[in-house]
Structure formats: structure tokens, C-alpha cells
Amino acid sequence: MRGTRAVIVGTVGAALLAAAGTGCGPGSGTPGKPTTSRTSAPMPVSAAPAATDRPSASPPPTPTSTPTPRVSVTTRPASRTAPPSKTASRPPAPTYLAMHVAAPGGRLTLKAGGAAQEFTVTLRNGNTSAYRHLLLAFQMEAMPGGTADPAYVLERWDGSTGTWRAATLRIANDAYPHTLYTGGTPLPKNGVSTHRYRVRAPTGAPPGPNPILISLIDTDTDTRVRHTSLPQTTLSQ
């Protein structure tokens, strides 16, 4: 009996010690060491790697899931230089020297021994050449029965002095060499000059038509650059 009682007492003591071990904790009056439960403690969470550190494991998007990029279309031309205007790209059309003779009624009608009649010679230069020495030369043909030179008197108006000055009027049937002319006045590009003259038929001048031949000589190059004629008729006394 004593042996059986000792076994029972040992068994009860072991049971009480086991119960005492499991009963200690926050819910009991006696403080104890909390036990660690694997189900109640949170597992440490590791930080996810950055996208640049670790490639994404997701599969690439299918072509249907990626939107097609839209191309912006503009109607304005990109960085085009405006073409130059036609006026700026083309040089001006060349123009040249012109000579115009004017008289009342477009002609001269002189009376031997009578009053003089006036006419003008206008030189209008173009944009091609400038001239340093231009000279006006006048000539009439000799007529049978006429008096010795000078049968006609030609004068030029001098605007600087306000007087008429004698001018040369050659009466001959031959041409005067251009190389023998000297002097003249300048005429720049696009320049205009008007020269005023008057002519008189003295007593004894032969009657009939006899035009005045007018030549414009460039004495620097010894060339006749322009020429024309002014109709003239002399009446008897």
C-alpha cells in the first residue's frame, strides 16, 4: 500500500507542476515568461526590390494591350525659309540712253531773214552706262544756190548766264569724223538733261526743205551713240 500511495503522490505532483507551468502568464496573478507562438507572431516582411534592381516577373504585355502611339501631324511646313520675292530676286530691266527732239508742231518753218525758232533736245539716260562727255553735233546739207557758210545761225541757251550763245551748225554734204569731236558734258545713270536751241535763216538762205541732222557723240570713245533729224523748211523772203 505504501508503494502504491507513493506512486499516486508522485503522479499527482508531476501533474500539478505541469499545470503550474502552463498557467503562468499575463492572465494569471503570477508573472511569467511569455511563450512564443509561431502562429501569433508576425513574420518579418522583406522590402520588395526596386524595379531597377530586379526585373519584373510579370509577362510582357500583349500587342493588343499596348496603345499604338499617335503621330502628330501639323499643316505648317517645318522651318522653311520664305522664298524671296520676284522683285528682290530679279535685277531691274536694263534701260538705255534716249534722245528726243521737240519743236512747235514737230517741225521748223523758217523764213529767210526772219525771226528764229526754238527747239529742245532732251537726253534721258538709262541704268546701263554713265557718260562723262556727251556732245551734241548739228549739220545741214549744202543746197545749190545757197550763200557761203554760215547760211544759218544756231544758238544755245546758257541757263547759268541767262543768255544765248553761238553754237556750231555745220553745213556740208560729207560726214565729220567722230574722232575729231572734243568736249561735252557728263550724264550719269538715270540722268536727264534738256538743251534749248534756236535757229535762224539769214537773208539769202535757199528756200526748200532741209532737215537739221542731230548727232550725240561720246567723245571719250569717239562714237555716235544716238542720232536723229528735225524737219525744217525754209521759205523765201
Side-chain angles (χ1 to χ4, degrees):
M1 289 296 287
R2 287 183 181 181
T4 304
R5 192 178 291 177
V7 174
I8 295 172
V9 172
T11 303
V12 171
L16 291 176
L17 289 175
T22 57
C24 295
S28 62
T30 303
K33 185 176 179 182
T35 59
T36 303
S37 174
R38 293 187 179 182
T39 57
S40 60
M43 293 294 291
V45 180
S46 60
T52 57
D53 298 335
R54 183 177 180 182
S56 176
S58 59
T62 59
T64 56
S65 62
T66 303
T68 303
R70 300 182 61 184
V71 179
S72 176
V73 179
T74 178
T75 57
R76 185 175 61 183
S79 301
R80 288 191 60 186
T81 303
S85 62
K86 294 182 179 180
T87 303
S89 61
R90 292 184 178 180
T95 55
Y96 304 95
L97 176 64
M99 181 172 65
H100 177 69
V101 179
R107 58 180 300 111
L108 297 176
T109 302
L110 302 177
K111 186 176 182 180
Q117 289 191 1
E118 292 188 25
F119 66 95
T120 59
V121 180
T122 300
L123 305 178
R124 190 179 301 274
N125 197 10
N127 59 10
T128 305
S129 301
Y131 298 90
R132 296 187 305 165
H133 298 93
L134 289 177
L135 179 70
L136 287 169
F138 302 87
Q139 180 173 329
M140 292 177 64
E141 291 186 355
M143 296 182 65
T147 59
D149 293 345
Y152 292 82
V153 177
L154 179 67
E155 296 176 308
R156 178 182 60 84
W157 175 256
D158 186 352
S160 61
T161 61
T163 58
W164 290 98
R165 295 184 177 273
T168 302
L169 174 60
R170 185 172 184 265
I171 298 178
N173 293 332
D174 61 341
Y176 193 73
H178 300 152
T179 57
L180 299 180
Y181 288 104
T182 59
T185 56
L187 187 62
K189 291 181 180 180
N190 299 314
V192 179
S193 62
T194 299
H195 305 267
R196 182 181 170 190
Y197 293 90
R198 70 179 183 182
V199 62
R200 177 172 56 87
T203 302
N210 194 359
I212 300 177
L213 306 177
I214 304 174
S215 298
L216 183 61
I217 308 298
D218 180 4
T219 60
D220 290 333
T221 60
D222 298 328
T223 56
R224 184 175 71 171
V225 292
R226 291 291 181 271
H227 65 92
T228 187
S229 63
L230 175 61
Q232 184 276 139
T233 299
T234 300
L235 303 178
S236 59
Q237 292 178 325

